[in-house]
Amino acid sequence: MLRPDIVAAGRLTIDLHKLVRNYEALGARVAPARLAAVVKANAYGLGATAVAEALETAGCRTFFVAHLSEALSLRRGLADHSEVFVLNGLAPGSEALCAEMGCIPVLNSLEQVSSWNDLGLALGQTLPAAIQLDSGMVRLGLSEEDTRQVAAAPEALAGIDLRLVMSHLACADNPAAEANHRQRRRFDEMANLLPPAPRSLSNSASALGPPAPHGDLVRAGIALYGGAALRDTPNPMQPVVRLEAAIIQVRTVPDGAGVGYGLMYTTKGVRRLATVSVGYADGWPRRLGGRGAVFVGGVRAPIVGQVSMDSMTIDVTAAPETALRPGAPVELIGEHQSLEQVAADAGAIGYEILALLGPRYTRIYCEARPRDAVTGAKS
Ligand SMILES: *Cc1c(COP(=O)(O)O)cnc(C)c1O
């Protein structure tokens, strides 16, 4: 049988036990608000099905994705009583499929409210939905005028079971920003125009920041996955992700040798260089060429020259020779190098590094329950 971890670009280990610990810690912090999991973009690259199933087992009942296609693939694996909300809303023409499959749209515009309402009335049902209000981010949601229009029309919500009224903060990662207070006030004023429904405004950063009213439901993504939600603050979450690749080839290179595309790097003195099985097609940022590093045998190995599509070259002169055989593991994210360090080197954010984690990695899940803490490969 093929060993997926030695035939793939790399091995992405996802610790579901730590994921659940993060869920529980954050849940305790935001109580009595309920904690929902944002599992869009394949649960930030970690694997939406495995992540959602582990969180559902831990008691999570509400999930958010961006697109209906994501909701459809998630829906099958979850219990009927779990809710899957579609943040980007109702694409024109998708209404019947969304209703039939039991997915819940976040209605972001008057058109979406009215087409969902019309479908509910035509079916003689009230169809579940969230309504998003634009409290000041200018991304998605009803304006204040739209909200007044909905509130004033008696039939506008007659076919809708309003499960949630929500908005999103533009500056939650900076709790000191005045914009947060403005958005909170505006959200309350706008939500007060609508019929009573549970409210949701907070994401990971709000959940971890100074105490703030969370309403009824907090929508957390990055903190569950161990990423840093707040700027310039120690990250209290447990790391969930470990990313390793393999050495393909090692060579000793003389002084003055050009390395990689464009020969952008030239060796100074005799160097030991290794080629590693990950490149930008795996979501490993091209910008790390010449600035980032990986760890080999616990020793920092700088990335030299340009990152290629399927490989990159690292300087392993300082690494122990025993760690340098072909097939030996190289740590990209793990105990020596945090997600945030990689993001900083790449001029990116942790969210971006996770969301780009490519399909060529073998995803290995450490099981959530400690009793059977064996690793089993699923892909
Ligand atoms: C992505 C997203 C979230 C989750 O944000 P985190 O910062 O990852 O916790 C919450 N709400 C909305 C509307 C989102 O788009």
Side-chain angles (χ1 to χ4, degrees):
M1 204 186 92
L2 284 179
R3 290 235 332 261
D5 56 323
I6 57 172
V7 297
R11 178 165 57 182
L12 180 62
T13 308
I14 295 125
D15 190 330
L16 296 175
H17 181 61
K18 289 197 175 140
L19 170 84
V20 166
R21 299 250 304 265
N22 286 342
Y23 179 79
E24 289 169 348
L26 212 57
R29 203 177 150 92
V30 303
R34 286 179 299 126
L35 183 59
V38 180
V39 294
K40 62 194 180 190
N42 201 26
Y44 295 36
L46 276 56
T49 300
V51 162
E53 287 180 8
L55 292 175
E56 186 181 59
T57 304
C60 185
R61 292 290 172 267
T62 308
F63 299 88
F64 288 85
V65 293
H67 304 291
L68 181 56
S69 62
E70 295 178 313
L72 296 176
S73 67
L74 197 63
R75 192 53 281 181
R76 276 179 253 126
L78 296 178
D80 287 345
H81 57 244
S82 286
E83 299 177 304
V84 181
F85 287 92
V86 181
L87 288 166
N88 276 5
L90 204 54
S94 72
E95 297 84 356
L97 180 62
C98 187
E100 187 186 332
M101 300 311 287
C103 301
I104 310 180
V106 175
L107 305 172
N108 288 311
S109 66
L110 284 181
E111 293 77 17
Q112 292 179 12
V113 171
S114 99
S115 57
W116 197 239
N117 190 52
D118 290 348
L119 181 61
L121 293 175
L123 294 171
Q125 298 174 16
T126 55
L127 295 174
I131 287 183
Q132 175 146 229
L133 306 176
D134 178 9
S135 59
M137 184 177 179
V138 191
R139 186 170 74 169
L140 288 168
L142 273 59
S143 67
E144 183 167 340
E145 195 191 314
D146 295 339
T147 311
R148 289 189 187 283
Q149 210 169 308
V150 168
E155 287 287 289
L157 300 175
I160 293 177
D161 166 16
L162 187 56
R163 297 269 179 97
L164 194 68
V165 177
M166 61 170 275
S167 190
H168 195 55
L169 297 175
C171 304
D173 63 336
N174 176 16
E178 170 56 28
N180 295 322
H181 303 292
R182 266 202 311 277
Q183 278 198 268
R184 286 185 183 283
R185 271 197 308 276
R186 224 168 132 64
F187 175 63
D188 283 337
E189 287 162 14
M190 290 169 74
N192 287 343
L193 300 170
L194 294 172
R199 294 183 186 184
S200 175
L201 185 60
S202 296
N203 64 356
S204 297
S206 315
L208 289 169
H214 291 308
D216 302 286
L217 186 75
V218 169
R219 310 180 305 268
I222 194 76
L224 299 178
Y225 310 129
L230 288 168
R231 273 197 250 161
D232 311 324
T233 306
N235 177 10
M237 309 316 291
Q238 306 258 351
V240 172
V241 170
R242 179 175 169 78
L243 179 61
E244 294 155 297
I247 289 178
I248 307 171
Q249 191 173 10
V250 186
R251 67 185 83 229
T252 301
V253 180
D255 179 46
V259 176
Y261 281 119
L263 305 177
M264 298 292 278
Y265 171 78
T266 305
T267 52
K268 289 182 194 63
V270 177
R271 309 303 294 173
R272 288 285 274 164
L273 300 185
T275 305
V276 173
S277 61
V278 160
Y280 63 78
D282 301 299
W284 188 249
R286 202 167 157 275
R287 291 216 29 205
L288 289 173
R291 355 178 164 204
V294 299
F295 280 78
V296 181
V299 173
R300 187 171 187 277
I303 300 169
V304 294
Q306 304 264 22
V307 172
S308 297
M309 185 183 290
D310 316 295
S311 67
M312 62 181 171
T313 302
I314 60 175
D315 186 327
V316 292
T317 310
E321 195 58 36
T322 51
L324 296 182
R325 58 194 197 295
V330 170
E331 177 192 310
L332 282 70
I333 300 172
E335 59 175 322
H336 297 94
Q337 174 156 273
S338 69
L339 171 64
E340 273 64 43
Q341 182 62 55
V342 174
D345 289 346
I349 56 176
Y351 293 79
E352 192 180 348
I353 303 297
L354 288 185
L356 291 175
L357 289 169
R360 296 198 296 189
Y361 297 130
T362 300
R363 284 163 171 74
I364 311 253
Y365 295 93
C366 306
E367 292 303 325
R369 281 157 295 140
R371 252 156 50 80
D372 43 18
V374 288
T375 58
K378 300 177 194 171
S379 51

